[in-house]
Amino acid sequence: IGERRVTQSTKIFDRTGQVLLYDIFQDVRRTVVPFDQISRNIKNATVAVEDANFYQHNGIEPRAILRAVFANLTNFGYSQGGSTITQQVVKNSILTTDKTITRKLKEWVLALKLEKKMSKEEILSLYLNEIPYGGSIYGIEEASQSYFGKKAADLSVAEAAYLASLPQAPSYYSPFGTHKDKLEERKNFTLERMLAEHFISQEEYDTAKKEAVSWLPPNDTGLRAPHFVMFIKDYLENKYGEERVRDGGLKVTTTLDYSLQAKAEELVKKWALQNKINYNAENAALVATDPKTGQILVMVGSRDYFDKEIDGNFNVVMAHRQPGSAFKPIVYATAFEKGYLPETVVFDLPTEFSTYCNPDGTPIVQGEEDKCYMPENYDLIYRGPIDLRHALAQSINVAAIKVLYLAGLGDSLRTAKDLGIESLTNINQYGLTLVLGGGEVSLLDLTGAYATFANGGTRNPYAGILKVEDQSGKILEEFQAKPSVVLPENIALTISDILSDEEARQPAFGVHSALYVDGRDVAVKTGTTNDYRDAWILGYTPSLAVGAWAGNNDNSPMEKKVAGFIVAPMWHEFTAEALKNYPDEKFKKPATTDNSNLKPVLRGFWQGNQSYFIDKMSGKLA
């Protein structure tokens, strides 16, 4: 057992296969300490949660083995192990990680032998000094120093419960990852086990459960594109298992374009710090994909992964937040699919949408004010009759709600799902506010939806991996495009034609605003939530789709400015820089069809219209 199994690290590369983003086993940090220099709290917490009968059994637990065998037989697989701490020492030290019955039998036999050769203290000491606690941190002393800045001998009950919770799945339960709520649950479970096994008193349990521990910030050595790397690492661990990813010697070639990633990280940080001063928006995120393949080229989940004050390690690209008006093109696409045209006219006027209320927005029954719904345009201006092209290009709220009414809530949600947005599952949860961003979506999913418009209605699900090879060079998986037509090409081209119409959006955004990229055919849409907690922008060419977000992780509101002021400059600078690497592709123009048989209003001719002169001072008829 003194001759340890030599592990080979898994390495994650960018799309060139040359830029190393992360070596999962790189710079293994381990400090071995004697058993008497390890806190009683961590010994007890580890035994309680990992192997409650550790001091009673002789290396194996027959009941746990039978339970695991039964579970594996009923699942028609081999996943549960029922391992004791002694078995884990054997497995980690001298056996392979293969999940085979013969390997498991060897583990049982060797565990029995080890118990005869070593004392319980020696076995537990081996275990605590060698198990992984996350990233390159191995052993309880290194974990204690890295996470809390103290020796293993000085761990409190609460700190010990947290650390004892990590080895089961160090990446998943990482205090710096996106599952901190699950770590909290696991810590509380560990405390409950300690109480049940009489390792702590009720008073110690109550104190530890309330204790707020202070985590040190993570070490950022040797980690590039951290949000993307953790996104890929989660995927790999779910597919291949945490142990194989940690020391199985995999070579992972990702889809990331590191030259673009580095530029994106620089710009996100620059603009987020500027927005913090100007708009009280301290964080930002950006993602870019290839519409023709779905490959993720850039993923920046915050202005700084290692900035603990803003929860920088939280990946906003994956978070579900309200997209504001950035959801509108999906609803307009649904309406166009039903036969409405960019020339179709709706009336942009103050409108009460609830049948429980009068046209002026007052309730029919006094006291039912909350049933009324009379939304406003962001600029409080109402334009009267307006066609759908200009209504979408200028992001007019009242018009958009009328388009959702015409397109239908159910069909609009179906379009969203077809475009790859999976989070809007309960139709009863949404109303007409859906078109103004009333449902929560992720930046990655929404960018994928816009990428489908860019690709003429053919969706390519997002992907982050080009190839995974094992340590012998055998290819375990390789990227294969999975295109599917989810929207008629002419509908997608119509959306692109409107969103790239500089003239149509001028009344709202001005000439050559931050939405305009000089010399390029770029379709773009902004979105701001009503409470100014989120600012979005999604833009694309046939070759590149870029989504960006600005706001605060804690959901506190920004200054009351539209997304064009807050997030568009960052998006514009990155997009203009990135497009230097791409050919100047133009959008195909939508096919023209004979609409002469359609009703006049659908073709843009509404048969009313009387003109009046208004006195500017009084607002009344001249």
Side-chain angles (χ1 to χ4, degrees):
I1 201 163
E3 298 174 15
R4 298 293 183 266
R5 173 162 51 87
V6 179
T7 56
Q8 293 189 52
S9 60
T10 287
K11 294 178 172 62
I12 299 176
F13 294 88
D14 80 337
R15 67 186 299 110
T16 66
Q18 302 300 314
V19 179
L20 179 64
L21 302 177
Y22 189 47
D23 186 333
I24 289 177
F25 206 73
Q26 173 182 286
D27 301 327
V28 170
R29 308 203 312 269
R30 178 190 284 117
T31 305
V32 177
V33 290
F35 193 67
D36 60 4
Q37 291 179 27
I38 300 174
S39 162
R40 177 177 62 89
N41 293 328
I42 189 62
K43 295 172 188 173
N44 290 341
T46 301
V47 169
V49 77
E50 290 288 341
D51 184 3
N53 293 324
F54 173 68
Y55 292 108
Q56 284 77 45
H57 63 62
N58 59 357
I60 62 173
E61 274 274 57
R63 280 182 299 179
I65 291 170
L66 289 172
R67 189 164 58 244
V69 169
F70 178 76
N72 292 322
L73 286 173
T74 54
N75 291 332
F76 301 102
Y78 192 75
S79 57
Q80 292 204 21
S83 295
T84 63
I85 284 175
T86 312
Q87 287 173 253
Q88 291 181 59
V89 168
V90 168
K91 180 180 70 173
N92 293 338
S93 299
I94 56 178
L95 291 177
T96 66
T97 58
D98 297 337
K99 288 193 171 184
T100 61
I101 292 174
T102 53
R103 206 261 320 145
K104 198 70 183 176
L105 288 170
K106 289 176 186 176
E107 181 186 300
W108 294 337
V109 173
L110 292 171
L112 292 168
K113 283 192 172 188
L114 185 61
E115 287 270 351
K116 292 177 181 177
K117 295 286 184 184
M118 299 178 77
S119 69
K120 290 287 187 181
E121 286 191 354
E122 289 173 319
I123 293 169
L124 186 56
S125 181
L126 269 180
Y127 181 79
L128 288 171
N129 273 304
E130 299 199 4
I131 53 172
Y133 284 93
S136 58
I137 301 168
Y138 282 73
I140 189 59
E141 178 70 11
E142 195 63 47
S144 185
Q145 294 282 7
S146 298
Y147 289 122
F148 300 122
K150 59 171 63 176
K151 294 180 178 180
D154 301 327
L155 289 170
S156 69
V157 174
E159 290 166 341
Y162 276 115
L163 293 186
S165 301
L166 292 176
Q168 187 189 60
S171 294
Y172 182 81
Y173 289 122
S174 170
F176 311 121
T178 55
H179 303 115
K180 287 184 282 189
D181 56 332
K182 298 299 181 185
L183 172 61
E184 193 67 23
E185 290 174 15
R186 176 81 175 159
K187 180 265 293 185
N188 290 336
F189 172 72
T190 300
L191 289 173
E192 288 165 12
R193 294 298 309 136
M194 292 178 76
L195 181 64
E197 296 298 326
H198 307 291
F199 286 132
I200 55 174
S201 66
Q202 183 67 51
E203 184 180 352
E204 287 176 307
Y205 170 82
D206 294 337
T207 302
K209 195 166 182 185
K210 294 174 188 172
E211 183 181 337
V213 304
S214 181
W215 299 92
L216 293 179
N219 187 316
D220 63 345
T221 307
L223 178 58
R224 292 171 168 172
H227 292 101
F228 178 74
V229 163
M230 293 307 160
F231 166 76
I232 294 297
K233 193 162 171 273
D234 280 349
Y235 166 83
L236 293 169
E237 287 171 351
N238 286 331
K239 184 165 184 177
Y240 298 105
E242 190 158 340
E243 196 170 18
R244 190 174 189 187
V245 171
R246 185 179 68 240
D247 51 29
L250 304 179
K251 180 184 177 183
V252 183
T253 306
T254 69
T255 60
L256 193 85
D257 183 328
Y258 188 68
S259 61
L260 280 183
Q261 173 75 19
K263 188 65 181 177
E265 288 177 5
E266 174 196 327
L267 292 176
V268 167
K269 186 160 192 172
K270 166 190 155 184
W271 284 101
L273 292 174
Q274 205 164 307
N275 287 340
K276 182 180 181 181
I277 297 168
N278 296 337
Y279 304 116
N280 189 38
E282 67 179 5
N283 204 9
L286 187 145
V287 65
T289 68
D290 179 351
K292 296 173 181 176
T293 62
Q295 293 174 10
I296 299 169
L297 304 172
V298 168
M299 181 184 284
V300 185
S302 76
R303 78 174 195 219
D304 185 348
Y305 180 88
F306 302 101
D307 188 337
K308 192 178 176 185
E309 288 187 10
I310 61 162
D311 280 333
N313 60 306
F314 183 75
N315 190 350
V316 182
V317 169
M318 305 298 295
H320 288 158
R321 301 183 73 112
Q322 292 193 349
S325 295
F327 194 80
K328 286 176 181 173
I330 295 170
V331 172
Y332 277 79
T334 309
F336 293 150
E337 205 169 357
K338 290 194 166 188
Y340 296 97
L341 304 173
E343 295 77 25
T344 299
V345 169
V346 290
F347 288 82
D348 177 27
L349 298 168
T351 306
E352 173 54 61
F353 286 92
S354 172
T355 55
Y356 290 94
C357 302
N358 297 308
D360 63 356
T362 57
I364 294 171
V365 177
Q366 197 169 2
E368 292 188 347
E369 285 82 3
D370 58 329
K371 291 185 177 180
C372 298
Y373 183 53
M374 198 170 187
E376 298 173 330
N377 291 329
Y378 68 89
D379 56 5
L380 301 180
I381 295 172
Y382 299 92
R383 296 152 183 82
I386 188 169
D387 63 40
L388 300 196
R389 171 179 292 274
H390 290 83
L392 175 57
Q394 296 169 39
S395 201
I396 310 300
N397 287 347
V398 173
I401 294 169
K402 293 181 177 181
V403 173
L404 175 58
Y405 187 85
L406 297 171
L409 180 61
D411 288 335
S412 297
L413 286 170
R414 197 169 297 113
T415 301
K417 187 174 182 181
D418 290 344
L419 292 170
I421 296 174
E422 300 286 345
S423 54
L424 306 175
T425 53
N426 184 2
I427 190 171
N428 299 318
Q429 199 174 328
Y430 316 106
L432 293 175
T433 57
L434 178 73
V435 74
L436 306 184
E440 294 186 340
V441 302
S442 75
L443 181 59
L444 183 57
D445 280 351
L446 195 57
T447 304
Y450 276 72
T452 304
F453 293 138
N455 202 36
T458 298
R459 175 177 176 248
N460 286 293
Y462 63 76
I465 287 178
L466 291 178
K467 186 165 59 174
V468 177
E469 302 165 81
D470 69 11
Q471 57 195 38
S472 65
K474 178 185 174 185
I475 296 175
L476 303 179
E477 69 173 275
E478 199 163 15
F479 173 77
Q480 287 185 323
K482 299 174 183 175
S484 58
V485 177
V486 297
L487 200 65
E489 182 184 34
N490 215 51
I491 303 300
L493 293 176
T494 299
I495 293 293
S496 299
D497 189 58
I498 294 172
L499 296 185
S500 59
D501 190 336
E502 164 81 351
E503 187 180 340
R505 65 170 171 254
Q506 273 181 21
F509 295 95
V511 179
H512 291 0
S513 67
L515 278 61
Y516 176 78
V517 179
D518 190 29
R520 291 289 188 153
D521 208 4
V522 182
V524 60
K525 182 76 187 75
T526 61
T528 313
T529 52
N530 285 340
D531 49 15
Y532 295 92
R533 298 180 196 278
D534 301 271
W536 303 64
I537 184 167
L538 289 298
Y540 58 89
T541 70
S543 315
L544 182 71
V546 181
W549 169 91
N552 298 303
N553 280 22
D554 64 3
N555 260 338
S556 57
M558 303 172 284
E559 292 295 319
K560 294 184 177 180
K561 302 285 185 184
V562 296
F565 291 104
I566 299 172
V567 72
M570 178 182 79
W571 170 89
H572 177 274
E573 189 171 354
F574 172 80
T575 301
E577 186 69 29
L579 286 177
K580 292 176 183 177
N581 302 317
Y582 290 88
D584 184 10
E585 285 190 85
K586 305 295 185 186
F587 293 113
K588 283 171 58 181
K589 286 294 179 185
T592 54
T593 54
D594 180 12
N595 299 317
S596 58
N597 61 331
L598 293 179
K599 292 181 179 179
V601 71
L602 294 178
R603 292 183 279 117
F605 299 105
W606 67 282
Q607 311 207 338
N609 194 16
Q610 295 181 42
S611 297
Y612 299 94
F613 288 101
I614 301 295
D615 180 270
K616 287 185 179 179
M617 297 295 289
S618 67
K620 296 180 180 180
L621 289 176

